[in-house]
Amino acid sequence: MPCEVAARFLILYGSQRGQAQSIAEEICQQAAEHGFTADISCLSNQHKYNVDREIRPVVFVVSTTGDGDPPDTAHKFVRKIKNKSLVHDHFSHLRYALLALGDTNYANFCNGGKTIDSRLQQLGAKHFYATGHADDGTGLEVVVDPWIEGLWDALKKIFSSMSTSNQQSADLSDCTQDNYHKNASGQEKNKSGLEVDLQLLKLSEVDSQKEKTITSDSSDVETLSTALVASLKQSVPPLSESVLNVPALPASYLEVCLEQVSTEGETVPSDKDGYREVSISKAVQLTQDDAVKNAILLELDISEQSIAYQPGDAFDILCPNRASEVEELLLRLDLQTRKNCAVQVNLLKNSSKKAAKVPLHIPQSGSLQFILTWCLEIRSAPKKAFVRALADFTQNGSEKRRLLELCSKEGSADYNSFVRDTNVCLLDLLRAFPSCLPPLSLLFEHLPKLQPRAYSAASSSLQHPGKVHFVFNVVEFPACPEHPARTGLCTGWLADHVSSILRPLGTVPASDYGESGLILVHVRPRPSSTFHLPADPSIPVVMVGPGTGVAPFIGFLQQREKEREANQEATFGETWLFFGCRHKDKDFLFRYELERFALNGTLSHLIVCFSRDEPDAAGTVNRPTYVQHNLRLHAKNVASILLKNKGCLYVCGDAKNMAKDVNDTLLEIIGNELQIDKLDAMKIVAGLREEKRYLQDIWS
Ligand code: FAD
């Protein structure tokens, strides 16, 4: 290392839900172990850094939100660098690396990071290390871990290059041939950017300062009995016999005290962050009892809260962790008798963690039970760093060895199969490893904030003044060797919460909205910036919304129905809805309402398919099974609406399969219609997105 001063770099992060922040903090933490000094700041704290004059290398970690937007905390920064008056070499002094986070289940993968990256490049900044694009859909760590690993060599090179030339304009071309690509042996598996294929990744040498080598025959580890099949609890050779490279133990930084002040009675979160408490005035089961999925419609009474929304907006709902899981966790941690104690959380003096902060989502003086119920996502799959830390609180040698395997490089495949892909949570680990007894502070350091769940409004306030409707499927996770059967956190809770007023479709409650005023939820509007009907009603629209994806379109159509009634002279464009479900008689959501829209002209075309119904008597061969098949059948109309009539295409629902299939079909339709190849069709589709005429509201 040339000199102390030169080894200082800056980390800037833009985080929406805390992931980019925790990765940035991890980089900051590891920097010291590699002989660097890192300063760290959120992009929103503009008074803490100045990229216009920054001579240190900068590492950006940026997540993506919404429809490919940078996180809220990066908005000001993005606005600043997008300023048109900046000259082309404004950032020619800047050497940087960027790690973009995204999810390939959504459109505009990693676009938050890409937006910053491309603008910095335009203004003359240079990479000292290639950009990483990490995919939450397949697991961020698949890219993040090797990217961080390659960063240290890239930093060494940039610092040595800076010291050689002793000026910031050093030629960095060598450094841009980064270790990240070299490590990956030039392998790309490219869906939407550079991604490292871990299987092919030749791991760089183990840094003895950073990692401890742990062997299976070390004295404090019991010999594992050989088992034929690997499971969460045990491994098989070669892993069980491997020398392990485990991550460095994350520095602890919190001190948690429980005070014997009774906080009994504190049961729901306070009215902060814009949440309002509203009552559920109606709950209707939209599917038959024998349908594969159970879809429920909720009606919320928002009349007293003067909450405004438009069809296309969504609402965040706060949901608690399951009481039974919180109880079990308390019992398991031997804290059952102290659940009503007030929790005081402070920073540990002398912690080596850089930029340590008490997590904002943990309220001071909240009761332990309250914090475990409302503030921490106890269902989240523990990250490798958490598993590493848990190992240090595990008495039994073979249990400890297994936890170390799961967080090691060698155990990556096991971690993916037995923890990440099966969504094992802390409680599942504590059940599987009975001698593990972590302190509360460890949970507070590693469990992420309990996030609200979003639901699209399935109503229009023109049709239902003072009310908003949602529709959701109760998510079900069947039992597996790693955990018992359970329902999705929010959907399972909502289903239980409304069970006393839930009624089957078509039945009428005793009074209009039942006597359910006491069933309450906390909601916060989550307006969409783009997913709305066009302001000009003559513009034709195509809506694709199978299953619960139909929710926002019910709102659109209720709105259109009312607008048509109020303004009979106006011209309304064609309105197409492509809907799909399994069975016509079991899960055709909003069937009668949709048929009414089709009958009264609100919908010009209602195109429906049923994926699991037997072919009808005519035995139609190649009958459409999924929405994309129907889109293909109506390709001419769809193409004409989009390409000739300046219409809009809306897609809502499942991100994992449907949205991708619809996108592929759209490329095919446009390619055929214009007789162009796929690449050119992709450009047209990108143009439609840009013009906000191809809009997605998708979730996984
Ligand atoms: P969670 O407990 O959060 O589980 C959800 C996911 O976690 C699963 O899909 C799976 O990937 C993983 N998971 C958790 N545990 C396991 C396990 N044991 N095994 C395997 N995987 C597991 N949903 C609707 O139904 N209707 C809507 O109108 C709607 N609108 C939305 C609008 C927006 C803008 C967004 C972002 C999302 C919307 N969603 C909607 C999705 C919704 O927010 C929730 O994600 C969904 O209801 C599941 O929530 P949950 O808490 O029940 O499930």
Side-chain angles (χ1 to χ4, degrees), residues 17 106 314-315 319 377 379 420-424 428 452-457 470-478 480 483-484 486-493 526 548-549 551-552 652 656 697-700:
R17 301 191 148 204
Y106 295 86
F315 279 73
C319 63
E377 188 101 37
R379 280 271 189 99
R420 203 196 66 198
D421 297 348
T422 39
N423 271 80
V424 151
D428 301 324
R453 286 4 183 207
Y455 294 93
S456 309
F470 304 130
V471 53
F472 63 89
N473 281 324
V474 181
V475 176
E476 285 183 17
F477 306 113
C480 64
H483 61 70
R486 52 190 175 221
T487 49
L489 188 67
C490 186
T491 53
W493 173 71
R526 179 179 163 139
T548 48
C652 180
K656 284 212 174 99
D697 180 9
I698 52 176
W699 58 79
S700 48

Side-chain angles (χ1 to χ4, degrees), residues 213-261:
T213 297
I214 296 183
T215 58
S216 57
D217 57 2
S218 67
S219 55
D220 60 338
V221 174
E222 288 172 18
T223 312
L224 283 173
S225 60
T226 314
L228 287 177
V229 189
S231 68
L232 177 63
K233 293 185 189 181
Q234 66 177 27
S235 58
V236 293
L239 179 59
S240 57
E241 291 159 3
S242 287
V243 172
L244 301 177
N245 288 303
V246 296
L249 183 67
S252 52
Y253 64 99
L254 292 179
E255 185 180 58
V256 177
C257 297
L258 296 179
E259 289 177 3
Q260 283 294 357
V261 184

